[in-house]
Amino acid sequence: MLSALARPAGAALRRSFSTSAQNNAKVAVLGASGGIGQPLSLLLKNSPLVSRLTLYDIAHTPGVAADLSHIETRATVKGYLGPEQLPDCLKGCDLVVIPAGVPRKPGMTRDDLFNTNATIVATLTAACAKHCPEAMICIISNPVNSTIPITSEVFKKHGVYNPNKIFGVTTLDVVRANTFVAELKGLDPARVNVPVIGGHAGKTIIPLISQCTPKVDFPQDQLTTLTGRIQEAGTEVVKAKAGAGSATLSMAYAGARFVFSLVDAINGKEGVVECSFVKSQETDCTYFSTPLLLGKKGIEKNLGIGKISPFEEKMIAEAIPELKASIKKGEDFVKNMK
């Protein structure tokens, strides 16, 4: 009985999405077999915006691709295994999402991942620079505060750098801020929007609760606790998983949200705004996350920090030295690469 009921609902769900001729995004996921890569690939396969999904990893991608390919949505799915197959995975892509790398374990900071993940990101982005230099590049691999400078330097080395097309995915910080504010205020989280600026690690994560829509007020002690929870939410999940990984499902959701926003903007939708860690002139830091108006060519306009509270100003001042150090660490890594 259930399947008979379920079918029309599924058909209705698919019909409810627009399927204009523009919904033909060719998306690659690099690190598609991992904890984030698999659920992210599932969400991308489920979207009418995606027409071709190419999945790359160093293990298991043929199986993940075979599994996903049976889903009744129009995106074609193909798996690519190992470095020799990476060029074919990337050719013709509009957008590349990179969740590849190792996750945190209890007691680790995002920066502890640096040595392993820096090499992985440098290798994968070099392939992107060679085989899909015009694609939008969305980096999930931590530490984002360093992997975005790495990506930029790699693209510069290949002579194809475009700062408007390289994004550090910080959407999970926004998603968490929206969720936690909604819980405290009894709101629908889908209607809450908290801009989160700065970086994507600990105290560099700066939620602008003063700019929340709808407007919300918290006493200072509650605001301090809430801000701390947003900043350390990743660690909350790492601890709860007790050695079995870090945030994967919520990160996959946030990654998909960012990708869909970017694809909407590429398709000509107006007024698409997302926060992302990008090349920036908004502060002393050469990279900084702020709300961005997205367009057909990536970043259309950096909307900047806007009006903020003294509490938020203080957080920015405290974050900048750590951000600068993480950025320099990423840039130096590429300079010293063989």
Side-chain angles (χ1 to χ4, degrees):
M1 188 63 197
L2 182 63
S3 61
L5 285 171
R7 290 294 301 168
L13 180 70
R14 284 194 300 280
R15 272 201 308 276
S16 71
F17 290 108
S18 83
T19 49
S20 77
Q22 291 175 312
N23 294 349
N24 282 317
K26 297 179 178 70
V27 181
V29 180
L30 310 186
S33 304
I36 297 166
Q38 289 202 40
L40 174 60
S41 299
L42 173 62
L43 292 168
L44 296 173
K45 170 65 174 138
N46 196 39
S47 170
L49 295 171
V50 179
S51 64
R52 188 188 84 182
L53 191 57
T54 52
L55 309 180
Y56 173 81
D57 214 318
I58 53 170
H60 311 304
T61 25
V64 174
D67 194 354
L68 287 175
S69 72
H70 295 178
I71 292 171
E72 54 180 357
T73 55
R74 71 192 190 101
T76 59
V77 187
K78 190 165 181 203
Y80 296 83
L81 191 64
E84 57 290 335
Q85 293 187 10
L86 181 55
D88 285 338
C89 177
L90 294 172
K91 277 176 190 145
C93 281
D94 302 307
L95 198 148
V96 181
V97 202
I98 308 185
V102 293
R104 285 199 288 162
K105 292 198 159 60
M108 288 175 86
T109 66
R110 288 181 179 89
D111 198 51
D112 291 334
L113 307 172
F114 183 89
N115 291 336
T116 307
N117 289 0
T119 306
I120 292 169
V121 169
T123 305
L124 294 175
T125 53
C128 295
K130 279 191 198 116
H131 303 291
C132 55
E134 294 291 307
M136 308 285 174
I137 311 293
C138 305
I139 307 285
I140 291 171
S141 315
N142 273 315
V144 166
N145 292 356
S146 300
T147 55
I148 284 298
I150 287 171
T151 303
S152 298
E153 293 305 313
V154 166
F155 269 69
K156 283 178 196 171
K157 269 194 172 177
H158 286 83
V160 291
Y161 177 56
N162 180 347
N164 295 324
K165 291 187 170 187
I166 295 173
F167 301 91
V169 180
T170 61
T171 318
L172 183 50
D173 300 322
V174 176
V175 166
R176 285 166 167 158
N178 294 348
T179 303
F180 301 163
V181 167
E183 280 172 1
L184 290 171
K185 291 294 184 188
L187 299 165
D188 173 1
R191 299 190 182 280
V192 175
N193 184 31
V194 179
V196 181
I197 65 166
H200 181 62
K203 68 170 191 262
T204 69
I205 297 167
I206 303 161
L208 301 182
I209 310 285
S210 73
Q211 291 183 17
C212 177
T213 49
K215 193 167 168 15
V216 291
D217 283 307
F218 293 101
Q220 187 56 50
D221 59 336
Q222 199 179 13
L223 184 62
T224 304
T225 305
L226 169 62
T227 299
R229 187 181 177 207
I230 294 163
Q231 290 174 330
E232 292 305 323
T235 306
E236 190 180 305
V237 177
V238 169
K239 282 181 181 165
K241 289 196 175 181
S246 57
T248 52
L249 302 171
S250 53
M251 184 59 247
Y253 166 84
R257 171 181 146 165
F258 186 78
V259 168
F260 299 148
S261 289
L262 202 44
V263 172
D264 276 340
I266 293 166
N267 286 342
K269 184 174 174 182
E270 293 187 353
V272 180
V273 175
E274 289 283 0
C275 293
S276 179
F277 187 68
V278 297
K279 190 83 176 78
S280 173
Q281 295 168 333
E282 298 302 314
T283 65
D284 286 352
C285 289
T286 47
Y287 296 85
F288 202 83
S289 179
T290 43
L292 308 169
L293 179 65
L294 302 175
K296 291 189 174 188
K297 293 180 177 163
I299 301 171
E300 194 157 293
K301 188 180 182 209
N302 192 319
L303 300 177
I305 294 168
K307 187 170 174 291
I308 57 172
S309 71
F311 175 64
E312 291 159 354
E313 270 177 38
K314 184 165 171 277
M315 283 196 286
I316 293 175
E318 288 172 0
I320 282 179
E322 182 182 326
L323 262 179
K324 282 184 172 170
S326 298
I327 291 163
K328 185 175 188 304
K329 190 172 180 178
E331 290 173 339
D332 289 348
F333 178 83
V334 179
K335 283 195 186 94
N336 300 326
M337 260 168 48
K338 298 288 172 279

